[in-house]
Amino acid sequence: MSRRTVLITGASAGIGAAMARVHAARAWDLILTARRQAPLDALATELRARGATVTVLTADLAEPLAAQGLVDQIAARGLIVDGLVNNAGYSLTTGFLATGPAQHADMIRVMLTAPVELSRLLVPGMVERGFGRIINVASIAGLMPATGGDTLYGPIKSFLIKASQGLYLETQGTGVHVTALCPGYTFTEFHDANGSRAEVSSAYPAWMWMTAEAVARAAYDGVEANRPRVVPGWRNRLLSIIPKILPNDVALAIIAGHARRLKRI
């Protein structure tokens, strides 16, 4: 059987790069995309040395036509996408009112619109071929009350979880598996990019953190097992349950305390 090919967005670092390594170790070929060319090229060189065929395509998913353009580039190269990891994302921690409408629009396009569009463009072919794997990288934040200061992040991730569940149900029996990945705090460049590294490192102990590699392995195993949602780590699973058993006002107050510790409200 020929090797499968997976498209990974936001593959230049963190969970995206870890996903690439996990897939390469399991004999997948890769299409890596992100905005930054240099780290993609470095990762591609590493994975080619392990025997994977790697295609690098830079794209800015904040652009309105980026998803279609990416799929067109893939088709022009004669490649077939058997797996999709919607990982690209970031957070805006300066507060809703201090963040411009254009920045909000970009965030929504990258983290919500692009995963929906890429899934809609690629899943029909997966269903037709009888095989597909979709991992939508959400967050434990999508299972919690929203956080002030990073106002849109949690709601976007909540949408992604629910959309993944709906697609999971719709594709049952087709050979296509859909999983929403909901990690907690993970050692990546994520908090460096939004300038919150010092705050989160001092606010939360080391035992609350997982490596990107552990998260990626949990996601891969979960989608292969056709699980609709994966929350890596027992501590994160416990945290995700707590808001469901507490009164809404209490859960919201706890999350507000979390935001204050991070100096976001």
Side-chain angles (χ1 to χ4, degrees):
M1 186 180 71
S2 61
R3 290 166 63 101
R4 305 288 189 184
T5 299
V6 60
L7 168 63
I8 303 175
T9 71
S12 58
I15 292 175
M19 288 283 192
R21 294 185 179 101
V22 167
H23 280 80
R26 289 157 175 78
W28 286 70
D29 291 327
L30 302 111
I31 304 169
L32 307 178
T33 187
R35 292 180 301 168
R36 299 180 294 166
Q37 179 83 38
L40 287 178
D41 287 341
L43 180 59
T45 298
E46 172 193 330
L47 298 177
R48 287 171 185 142
R50 302 184 186 183
T53 298
V54 184
T55 301
V56 171
L57 300 173
T58 56
D60 183 356
L61 294 177
E63 297 294 330
L65 301 178
Q68 183 66 64
L70 189 57
V71 171
D72 290 344
Q73 288 186 71
I74 292 168
R77 287 164 170 77
L79 300 173
I80 294 175
V81 176
D82 304 294
L84 170 64
V85 179
N86 284 307
N87 170 73
Y90 55 95
S91 66
L92 299 171
T93 61
T94 54
F96 185 82
L97 300 180
T99 303
Q103 291 173 287
H104 286 148
D106 286 351
M107 185 180 188
I108 291 169
R109 278 195 292 267
V110 170
M111 295 173 58
L112 191 156
T113 305
V116 170
E117 291 182 345
L118 287 171
S119 297
R120 182 59 184 85
L121 290 166
L122 295 172
V123 169
M126 295 177 185
V127 170
E128 183 178 346
R129 294 186 297 272
F131 181 92
R133 300 290 186 266
I134 309 291
I135 299 172
N136 288 322
V137 180
S139 170
I140 195 173
L143 303 170
M144 305 279 189
T147 302
D150 195 5
T151 311
L152 296 184
Y153 185 83
I156 288 172
K157 294 302 189 180
S158 182
F159 172 94
L160 197 56
I161 293 167
K162 293 295 179 65
S164 300
Q165 291 171 335
L167 188 56
Y168 164 85
L169 293 172
E170 194 168 336
T171 55
Q172 288 301 286
T174 67
V176 176
H177 298 179
V178 182
T179 295
L181 173 65
C182 303
Y185 282 118
T186 307
F187 290 113
T188 69
E189 292 181 353
F190 182 88
H191 297 104
D192 298 315
N194 65 23
S196 65
R197 169 64 61 194
E199 288 85 355
V200 295
S201 296
S202 61
Y204 298 101
W207 59 262
M208 291 188 66
W209 295 74
M210 293 183 67
T211 66
E213 291 71 21
V215 169
R217 288 193 298 269
Y220 187 93
D221 293 344
V223 77
E224 284 301 310
N226 200 20
R227 294 170 56 194
R229 189 178 76 194
V230 170
V231 181
W234 68 266
R235 295 178 181 88
N236 290 324
R237 290 192 287 274
L238 178 60
L239 287 172
S240 70
I241 293 171
I242 290 173
K244 297 179 181 180
I245 60 178
L246 292 175
N248 288 337
D249 290 349
V250 174
L252 188 60
I254 291 172
I255 296 300
H258 162 87
R260 281 192 292 272
R261 282 195 299 275
L262 298 180
K263 301 177 183 178
R264 292 181 185 173
I265 60 174

